[in-house]
Amino acid sequence: MTQDDMPRTVRTLLRELDRASLATILPREPAGWPYASLILVAVDHDLSPILLLSDMAEHTKAIKADGRVSLLFDGTGGLDQPLTGPRVTVLGRAERITDNRLKARFLARHPDAALYAGFKDFGFYRLTVDRAHLVGGFGKIRWIEAAELIPPQAEGLAEAEAAIVEHMNADHSDALQLYAAKLIGRAGDGWTMTGIDAEGIDLRRGGEVARLAFDEPLRAAGEARKTLVALVGRARALP
């Protein structure tokens, strides 16, 4: 991994994982004790993490008092030697949001959360990223500023995303199974698309999530169809 690869590694980790450890500062403690908890997360097109939190949770009470938080995304699962694998800590400020598009993106990533997302004591939060600390393995360590992490943007894709995802799940489920089996090496049927951004698509099957990266970033929403069709052709050509 070179220095130039590190921002992309951070983006990949954030998009591949659907959960993170959230660290906040407890407001009731005189010394400001840190508090860590497990949360579900989705990531927007600009890489901003999106959270759904209960007002009764200790971490939400802490955020209301001090919005500074950090999220640890752990990409070391399944490794014999976890410390050789990648993980990234993202620092930023969490703020409550009312943006319906961001809410929909989170719920597409975590469909079961729809059962409680509408409760009055739950709210959506967006993290404005300040910087990230990547540990990509032994000796592969670097602080990365937010400006370096900004991913490529595809014109109109955020607005078109919900329609694309709905169309793929309703009419091209077979293509999604091909993506998972042939291009990512994931077994089993029932994979659905939960999101598409300029750099790839997100898939889910029960408790599993998977990421399929594009060879080249999309520049506009209109390029999505051509790219998705090409991926089907590639998958069918494999043994």
Side-chain angles (χ1 to χ4, degrees):
M1 182 191 305
T2 67
Q3 293 287 314
D4 291 342
D5 292 334
M6 288 184 167
R8 185 177 179 88
T9 298
V10 171
R11 297 200 300 270
T12 298
L13 277 173
L14 266 62
R15 298 211 186 275
E16 282 184 341
L17 300 170
D18 67 343
R19 66 203 67 184
S21 297
L22 168 66
T24 54
I25 303 169
L26 290 178
R28 295 195 302 270
E29 301 293 338
W33 284 95
Y35 174 81
S37 53
L38 178 67
I39 52 101
L40 300 180
V41 62
V43 181
D44 195 21
H45 289 256
D46 65 357
L47 212 69
S48 298
I50 310 163
L51 319 175
L52 175 60
L53 307 176
S54 168
D55 290 339
M56 295 183 290
E58 292 295 334
H59 49 232
T60 310
K61 298 173 186 176
I63 287 171
K64 290 179 178 180
D66 188 336
R68 293 176 299 166
V69 304
S70 63
L71 290 174
L72 171 63
F73 291 84
D74 181 2
T76 66
L79 296 179
D80 290 339
Q81 298 181 344
L83 294 182
T84 65
R87 58 271 193 197
V88 61
T89 300
V90 177
L91 279 63
R93 294 181 181 273
E95 294 182 323
R96 192 156 182 163
I97 58 169
T98 58
D99 189 312
N100 288 329
R101 185 187 64 79
L102 295 183
K103 293 179 182 180
R105 191 162 223 273
F106 182 95
L107 293 176
R109 182 71 160 167
H110 301 283
D112 288 348
L115 296 173
Y116 51 84
F119 293 174
K120 291 183 178 180
D121 59 339
F122 275 81
F124 288 89
Y125 290 76
R126 175 183 178 273
L127 186 69
T128 301
V129 176
D130 181 79
R131 56 180 175 154
H133 188 248
L134 173 67
V135 181
F138 292 124
K140 301 172 183 177
I141 304 171
R142 181 188 163 199
W143 280 103
I144 305 174
E145 299 300 319
E148 295 182 76
L149 296 173
I150 297 174
Q153 298 296 304
E155 183 180 358
L157 185 58
E159 294 75 17
E161 178 181 27
I164 294 172
V165 169
E166 181 180 4
H167 172 66
M168 291 298 295
N169 287 328
D171 299 332
H172 300 288
S173 176
D174 55 337
L176 301 178
Q177 312 320 308
L178 278 172
Y179 296 160
K182 296 292 187 176
L183 301 181
I184 312 176
R186 294 295 190 93
D189 294 326
W191 289 94
T192 61
M193 183 188 291
T194 64
I196 179 171
D197 57 82
E199 293 186 298
I201 62 173
D202 300 314
L203 302 174
R204 185 170 202 101
R205 176 179 177 268
E208 293 181 79
V209 292
R211 174 77 174 172
L212 175 58
F214 299 144
D215 291 338
E216 297 292 336
L218 303 180
R219 293 167 296 181
E223 297 181 355
R225 182 181 184 279
K226 180 180 178 180
T227 298
L228 294 172
V229 170
L231 288 172
V232 171
R234 180 192 302 176
R236 286 176 173 162
L238 293 174

